């Protein structure tokens, strides 16, 4: 169980990764909704994004916001070179699948040490859902590497 001095870091990490996951899912969802015109995958991704609400509700939105400190984030104003070098929507989607999967893994690990470790399994389920969706649509996503 967490000690008081660890709370801030853990809930800050959870807040950042829940936001990161939601944002990445939205990027992917919008590609399939507007560009690829694959409504079924867009609906699946929307459902995954909305399932984050349950995790946030269990942790407590107020608790997450209380630990948010974007001003102290050393990478808040830094663009990673690989993000700036993407040349197609499909590269954006591919990068955001990885971003979402990584965020799920972080959530999975850090929720294990909260008072609600069962949330770890929910994050793991989300992560494996993303792996399956990525594989299912990999031909659509990965064919354009330009």
């Amino acid at each position: 169980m967490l000690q008081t001095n660890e709370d801030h870091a853990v809930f800050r990490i959870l807040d950042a990764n829940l936001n990161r996951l939601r944002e990445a899912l939205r990027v992917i969802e919008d590609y399939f909704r507007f560009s690829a015109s694959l409504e079924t995958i867009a609906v699946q991704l929307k459902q995954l994004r909305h399932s984050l609400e349950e995790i946030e509700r269990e942790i407590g939105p107020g608790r997450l916001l209380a630990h948010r400190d974007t001003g102290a984030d050393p990478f808040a104003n830094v663009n990673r070179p690989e993000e700036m070098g993407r040349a197609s929507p499909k590269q954006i989607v591919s990068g955001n699948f990885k971003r979402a999967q990584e965020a799920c893994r972080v959530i999975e690990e850090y929720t294990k040490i909260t008072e609600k470790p069962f949330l770890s399994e929910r994050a793991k389920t989300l992560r494996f859902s993303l792996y399956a969706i990525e594989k299912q649509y990999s031909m659509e996503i990965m064919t354009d590497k330009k």
Side-chain angles (χ1 to χ4, degrees):
M1 197 56 67
L2 293 174
Q3 298 174 2
T4 305
N5 60 348
E6 294 175 321
D7 282 353
H8 180 66
V10 169
F11 290 106
R12 189 172 169 208
I13 289 167
L14 287 170
D15 179 58
N17 280 280
L18 286 162
N19 290 333
R20 182 176 292 124
L21 177 53
R22 185 182 311 96
E23 293 162 1
L25 288 171
R26 174 59 91 169
V27 170
I28 301 165
E29 177 188 330
D30 281 355
Y31 172 78
F32 285 105
R33 180 178 173 196
F34 298 114
S35 181
S37 296
L38 293 171
E39 187 176 321
T40 55
I41 183 65
V43 169
Q44 285 178 290
L45 291 161
K46 183 177 182 177
Q47 290 170 341
L48 290 178
R49 189 168 45 80
H50 285 292
S51 72
L52 293 177
E53 292 174 11
E54 181 183 350
I55 294 173
E56 289 175 318
R57 190 173 43 253
E58 287 287 342
I59 294 171
R63 177 187 250 175
L64 292 167
L65 281 172
H67 292 284
R68 185 176 294 170
D69 189 0
T70 55
D73 185 340
F75 299 115
N77 297 313
V78 177
N79 288 319
R80 294 180 9 219
E82 65 271 18
E83 291 176 351
M84 301 308 293
R86 293 182 181 147
S88 72
K90 291 178 183 178
Q91 286 181 357
I92 291 169
V93 169
S94 179
N96 275 278
F97 263 114
K98 299 304 180 212
R99 182 178 192 221
Q101 293 157 357
E102 291 167 358
C104 282
R105 182 59 181 201
V106 173
I107 295 164
E108 180 183 339
E109 290 298 326
Y110 281 94
T111 53
K112 289 176 184 175
I113 61 171
T114 69
E115 69 277 2
K116 299 194 179 186
F118 64 90
L119 294 173
S120 176
E121 283 300 317
R122 294 188 185 149
K124 184 176 186 175
T125 299
L126 266 167
R127 183 166 53 93
F128 279 88
S129 294
L130 285 167
Y131 291 149
I133 292 168
E134 181 183 31
K135 180 178 180 182
Q136 184 179 355
Y137 292 95
S138 64
M139 294 308 293
E140 173 65 27
I141 297 165
M142 303 295 205
T143 54
D144 183 11
K145 288 288 187 181
K146 299 177 189 170

